[in-house]
Amino acid sequence: MNVTAGLPPYRLQYGWVTAQGRASPGDPSGFVFERGTVVGGGQFLLGRAYGPYSRVIFHKTLLSAGVAPQGWDPWNFRGHEDNIMYAEVDCEGGGSDTSQRVRWEKQLNKTQLVYFSRSYFLDREGWLANTPVGKELKP
């Protein structure tokens, strides 16, 4: 992904990579980025909440130095931070230092991360595995 934060004609302090919205804890949606690259100009946040249960995970992603230290923004859902699930797992690059991230960023262990794997999170019912593309993706 290439983020164009702060570049003309945009004059925002930050850009955002994601704006994911979940309205309830039972909503199965979310964004999971695995083994990708996030680059860009200007400073950007990995996500802003577009719902009180927003969920975004970056896993084994190369994050450029453009990632703002805080990493995430509750946006219009301040006060719901405990419901928001933002996580970075095994990321690398100049923007992967999580020491200054928001205090409410979640820490996922390997067991929890399984719930966001392609086979569980995306293809729980097997529909993807049975498509021509899914058959090509099988190990």
Side-chain angles (χ1 to χ4, degrees):
M1 286 183 266
N2 185 10
V3 183
T4 56
L7 300 176
Y10 310 104
R11 296 287 180 214
L12 301 171
Q13 180 180 5
Y14 296 110
W16 296 272
V17 177
T18 67
Q20 198 281 330
R22 281 182 11 167
S24 72
D27 182 340
S29 69
F31 296 155
V32 179
F33 299 92
E34 186 172 10
R35 299 180 197 276
T37 302
V38 180
V39 298
Q43 278 207 307
F44 52 89
L45 297 165
L46 295 171
R48 68 178 182 190
Y50 198 67
Y53 293 89
S54 180
R55 177 165 52 193
V56 179
I57 298 164
F58 286 90
H59 179 220
K60 294 185 178 181
T61 301
L62 180 65
L63 302 173
S64 76
V67 177
Q70 67 271 31
W72 308 95
D73 184 1
W75 202 41
N76 292 329
F77 295 94
R78 293 193 195 296
H80 295 271
E81 291 89 347
D82 289 342
N83 299 330
I84 296 170
M85 177 192 273
Y86 290 153
E88 301 165 65
V89 181
D90 298 330
C91 292
E92 298 180 340
S96 66
D97 179 3
T98 60
S99 65
Q100 295 181 50
R101 293 293 195 255
V102 294
R103 63 172 177 70
W104 42 270
E105 180 181 52
K106 304 297 188 272
Q107 303 300 314
L108 300 179
N109 61 40
K110 300 297 180 195
T111 303
Q112 293 166 317
L113 194 57
V114 168
Y115 293 104
F116 302 101
S117 67
R118 183 182 71 200
S119 61
Y120 188 87
F121 186 69
L122 187 61
D123 197 26
R124 195 174 320 172
E125 293 146 1
W127 66 271
L128 179 61
N130 291 316
T131 66
V133 172
K135 290 176 182 175
E136 290 177 18
L137 294 174
K138 286 185 179 178

PDB file of all heavy atoms in Angstrom, residues 2-3 14 35 44 49 55 61 78 81 85 95 110 120 138:
ATOM      1  N   ASN A   2       0.444   2.237  -0.702  1.00  0.00           N
ATOM      2  CA  ASN A   2       1.164   3.492  -0.755  1.00  0.00           C
ATOM      3  C   ASN A   2       0.258   4.591  -0.201  1.00  0.00           C
ATOM      4  O   ASN A   2      -0.766   4.902  -0.791  1.00  0.00           O
ATOM      5  CB  ASN A   2       1.576   3.801  -2.194  1.00  0.00           C
ATOM      6  CG  ASN A   2       2.429   5.046  -2.280  1.00  0.00           C
ATOM      7  OD1 ASN A   2       2.874   5.577  -1.281  1.00  0.00           O
ATOM      8  ND2 ASN A   2       2.654   5.509  -3.485  1.00  0.00           N
ATOM      9  N   VAL A   3       0.650   5.158   0.923  1.00  0.00           N
ATOM     10  CA  VAL A   3      -0.136   6.188   1.597  1.00  0.00           C
ATOM     11  C   VAL A   3       0.393   7.552   1.164  1.00  0.00           C
ATOM     12  O   VAL A   3       1.594   7.795   1.207  1.00  0.00           O
ATOM     13  CB  VAL A   3      -0.024   6.040   3.132  1.00  0.00           C
ATOM     14  CG1 VAL A   3      -0.894   7.053   3.848  1.00  0.00           C
ATOM     15  CG2 VAL A   3      -0.366   4.624   3.557  1.00  0.00           C
ATOM     16  N   TYR A  14      -2.154  13.887   9.405  1.00  0.00           N
ATOM     17  CA  TYR A  14      -1.871  12.473   9.210  1.00  0.00           C
ATOM     18  C   TYR A  14      -2.779  11.935   8.116  1.00  0.00           C
ATOM     19  O   TYR A  14      -3.881  12.421   7.910  1.00  0.00           O
ATOM     20  CB  TYR A  14      -2.181  11.654  10.473  1.00  0.00           C
ATOM     21  CG  TYR A  14      -1.338  11.988  11.668  1.00  0.00           C
ATOM     22  CD1 TYR A  14      -1.884  12.633  12.765  1.00  0.00           C
ATOM     23  CD2 TYR A  14       0.001  11.645  11.703  1.00  0.00           C
ATOM     24  CE1 TYR A  14      -1.119  12.932  13.875  1.00  0.00           C
ATOM     25  CE2 TYR A  14       0.777  11.950  12.813  1.00  0.00           C
ATOM     26  CZ  TYR A  14       0.222  12.586  13.895  1.00  0.00           C
ATOM     27  OH  TYR A  14       0.992  12.882  14.983  1.00  0.00           O
ATOM     28  N   ARG A  35       1.924 -10.098   5.495  1.00  0.00           N
ATOM     29  CA  ARG A  35       3.057 -10.168   4.563  1.00  0.00           C
ATOM     30  C   ARG A  35       2.991  -9.124   3.454  1.00  0.00           C
ATOM     31  O   ARG A  35       3.297  -9.399   2.307  1.00  0.00           O
ATOM     32  CB  ARG A  35       3.174 -11.560   3.960  1.00  0.00           C
ATOM     33  CG  ARG A  35       3.404 -12.640   4.983  1.00  0.00           C
ATOM     34  CD  ARG A  35       3.511 -14.002   4.326  1.00  0.00           C
ATOM     35  NE  ARG A  35       3.340 -15.065   5.270  1.00  0.00           N
ATOM     36  CZ  ARG A  35       4.287 -15.571   6.043  1.00  0.00           C
ATOM     37  NH1 ARG A  35       5.505 -15.095   5.994  1.00  0.00           N
ATOM     38  NH2 ARG A  35       4.019 -16.553   6.866  1.00  0.00           N
ATOM     39  N   PHE A  44       1.548   8.878   8.698  1.00  0.00           N
ATOM     40  CA  PHE A  44       0.231   8.258   8.636  1.00  0.00           C
ATOM     41  C   PHE A  44       0.026   7.328   9.814  1.00  0.00           C
ATOM     42  O   PHE A  44       0.968   6.852  10.430  1.00  0.00           O
ATOM     43  CB  PHE A  44       0.032   7.508   7.314  1.00  0.00           C
ATOM     44  CG  PHE A  44       1.122   6.532   6.980  1.00  0.00           C
ATOM     45  CD1 PHE A  44       1.067   5.217   7.415  1.00  0.00           C
ATOM     46  CD2 PHE A  44       2.213   6.925   6.219  1.00  0.00           C
ATOM     47  CE1 PHE A  44       2.066   4.317   7.101  1.00  0.00           C
ATOM     48  CE2 PHE A  44       3.216   6.030   5.892  1.00  0.00           C
ATOM     49  CZ  PHE A  44       3.142   4.721   6.343  1.00  0.00           C
ATOM     50  N   ALA A  49     -10.724   4.361  13.957  1.00  0.00           N
ATOM     51  CA  ALA A  49     -11.965   3.616  14.192  1.00  0.00           C
ATOM     52  C   ALA A  49     -13.099   4.217  13.377  1.00  0.00           C
ATOM     53  O   ALA A  49     -13.321   5.421  13.412  1.00  0.00           O
ATOM     54  CB  ALA A  49     -12.309   3.618  15.666  1.00  0.00           C
ATOM     55  N   ARG A  55     -11.670  -3.312  14.035  1.00  0.00           N
ATOM     56  CA  ARG A  55     -10.671  -4.379  14.193  1.00  0.00           C
ATOM     57  C   ARG A  55      -9.733  -4.385  12.984  1.00  0.00           C
ATOM     58  O   ARG A  55     -10.163  -4.573  11.852  1.00  0.00           O
ATOM     59  CB  ARG A  55     -11.373  -5.730  14.317  1.00  0.00           C
ATOM     60  CG  ARG A  55     -10.427  -6.883  14.401  1.00  0.00           C
ATOM     61  CD  ARG A  55     -11.055  -8.172  14.867  1.00  0.00           C
ATOM     62  NE  ARG A  55     -12.242  -8.550  14.128  1.00  0.00           N
ATOM     63  CZ  ARG A  55     -13.077  -9.508  14.523  1.00  0.00           C
ATOM     64  NH1 ARG A  55     -12.862 -10.152  15.651  1.00  0.00           N
ATOM     65  NH2 ARG A  55     -14.124  -9.815  13.801  1.00  0.00           N
ATOM     66  N   THR A  61       4.165  -7.590   8.424  1.00  0.00           N
ATOM     67  CA  THR A  61       4.080  -6.543   7.414  1.00  0.00           C
ATOM     68  C   THR A  61       5.274  -5.612   7.548  1.00  0.00           C
ATOM     69  O   THR A  61       5.694  -5.294   8.657  1.00  0.00           O
ATOM     70  CB  THR A  61       2.762  -5.756   7.594  1.00  0.00           C
ATOM     71  OG1 THR A  61       1.664  -6.661   7.471  1.00  0.00           O
ATOM     72  CG2 THR A  61       2.617  -4.655   6.567  1.00  0.00           C
ATOM     73  N   ARG A  78     -13.726   7.822  20.811  1.00  0.00           N
ATOM     74  CA  ARG A  78     -13.007   7.938  22.088  1.00  0.00           C
ATOM     75  C   ARG A  78     -13.946   7.448  23.188  1.00  0.00           C
ATOM     76  O   ARG A  78     -15.132   7.711  23.156  1.00  0.00           O
ATOM     77  CB  ARG A  78     -12.611   9.389  22.344  1.00  0.00           C
ATOM     78  CG  ARG A  78     -11.582   9.871  21.352  1.00  0.00           C
ATOM     79  CD  ARG A  78     -10.941  11.179  21.749  1.00  0.00           C
ATOM     80  NE  ARG A  78     -10.222  11.812  20.658  1.00  0.00           N
ATOM     81  CZ  ARG A  78      -9.150  11.314  20.045  1.00  0.00           C
ATOM     82  NH1 ARG A  78      -8.680  10.160  20.411  1.00  0.00           N
ATOM     83  NH2 ARG A  78      -8.557  11.967  19.077  1.00  0.00           N
ATOM     84  N   GLU A  81     -12.143   2.652  23.394  1.00  0.00           N
ATOM     85  CA  GLU A  81     -10.847   2.049  23.084  1.00  0.00           C
ATOM     86  C   GLU A  81     -10.715   0.605  23.558  1.00  0.00           C
ATOM     87  O   GLU A  81     -10.044  -0.196  22.900  1.00  0.00           O
ATOM     88  CB  GLU A  81      -9.700   2.894  23.658  1.00  0.00           C
ATOM     89  CG  GLU A  81      -9.519   4.227  22.976  1.00  0.00           C
ATOM     90  CD  GLU A  81     -10.341   5.360  23.568  1.00  0.00           C
ATOM     91  OE1 GLU A  81     -11.261   5.092  24.377  1.00  0.00           O
ATOM     92  OE2 GLU A  81     -10.079   6.517  23.234  1.00  0.00           O
ATOM     93  N   MET A  85      -9.985  -3.361  18.494  1.00  0.00           N
ATOM     94  CA  MET A  85      -8.858  -4.292  18.430  1.00  0.00           C
ATOM     95  C   MET A  85      -7.927  -3.882  17.295  1.00  0.00           C
ATOM     96  O   MET A  85      -8.211  -4.101  16.130  1.00  0.00           O
ATOM     97  CB  MET A  85      -9.295  -5.725  18.191  1.00  0.00           C
ATOM     98  CG  MET A  85      -8.071  -6.637  18.064  1.00  0.00           C
ATOM     99  SD  MET A  85      -8.426  -8.262  17.459  1.00  0.00           S
ATOM    100  CE  MET A  85      -8.802  -9.041  19.005  1.00  0.00           C
ATOM    101  N   GLY A  95       8.856   1.764  10.652  1.00  0.00           N
ATOM    102  CA  GLY A  95       7.634   2.145  11.349  1.00  0.00           C
ATOM    103  C   GLY A  95       7.091   1.076  12.272  1.00  0.00           C
ATOM    104  O   GLY A  95       5.967   1.175  12.758  1.00  0.00           O
ATOM    105  N   LYS A 110       0.451 -16.142  19.529  1.00  0.00           N
ATOM    106  CA  LYS A 110       0.314 -17.005  18.352  1.00  0.00           C
ATOM    107  C   LYS A 110      -1.022 -17.750  18.336  1.00  0.00           C
ATOM    108  O   LYS A 110      -1.624 -17.933  17.285  1.00  0.00           O
ATOM    109  CB  LYS A 110       1.469 -18.016  18.291  1.00  0.00           C
ATOM    110  CG  LYS A 110       2.833 -17.380  18.201  1.00  0.00           C
ATOM    111  CD  LYS A 110       2.997 -16.582  16.935  1.00  0.00           C
ATOM    112  CE  LYS A 110       4.377 -15.976  16.889  1.00  0.00           C
ATOM    113  NZ  LYS A 110       4.537 -14.934  15.926  1.00  0.00           N
ATOM    114  N   TYR A 120      -9.143 -19.568   8.920  1.00  0.00           N
ATOM    115  CA  TYR A 120     -10.172 -19.417   9.944  1.00  0.00           C
ATOM    116  C   TYR A 120     -10.995 -18.151   9.739  1.00  0.00           C
ATOM    117  O   TYR A 120     -12.223 -18.202   9.687  1.00  0.00           O
ATOM    118  CB  TYR A 120      -9.548 -19.401  11.342  1.00  0.00           C
ATOM    119  CG  TYR A 120     -10.593 -19.439  12.433  1.00  0.00           C
ATOM    120  CD1 TYR A 120     -11.080 -20.650  12.896  1.00  0.00           C
ATOM    121  CD2 TYR A 120     -11.109 -18.269  12.970  1.00  0.00           C
ATOM    122  CE1 TYR A 120     -12.066 -20.687  13.872  1.00  0.00           C
ATOM    123  CE2 TYR A 120     -12.089 -18.296  13.940  1.00  0.00           C
ATOM    124  CZ  TYR A 120     -12.562 -19.504  14.391  1.00  0.00           C
ATOM    125  OH  TYR A 120     -13.528 -19.536  15.346  1.00  0.00           O
ATOM    126  N   LYS A 138      -3.764 -23.123  -2.134  1.00  0.00           N
ATOM    127  CA  LYS A 138      -3.538 -24.206  -1.175  1.00  0.00           C
ATOM    128  C   LYS A 138      -2.058 -24.586  -1.156  1.00  0.00           C
ATOM    129  O   LYS A 138      -1.419 -24.635  -2.202  1.00  0.00           O
ATOM    130  CB  LYS A 138      -4.384 -25.436  -1.531  1.00  0.00           C
ATOM    131  CG  LYS A 138      -5.845 -25.251  -1.199  1.00  0.00           C
ATOM    132  CD  LYS A 138      -6.609 -26.518  -1.453  1.00  0.00           C
ATOM    133  CE  LYS A 138      -8.076 -26.305  -1.096  1.00  0.00           C
ATOM    134  NZ  LYS A 138      -8.874 -27.492  -1.373  1.00  0.00           N
TER     135      LYS A 138
END
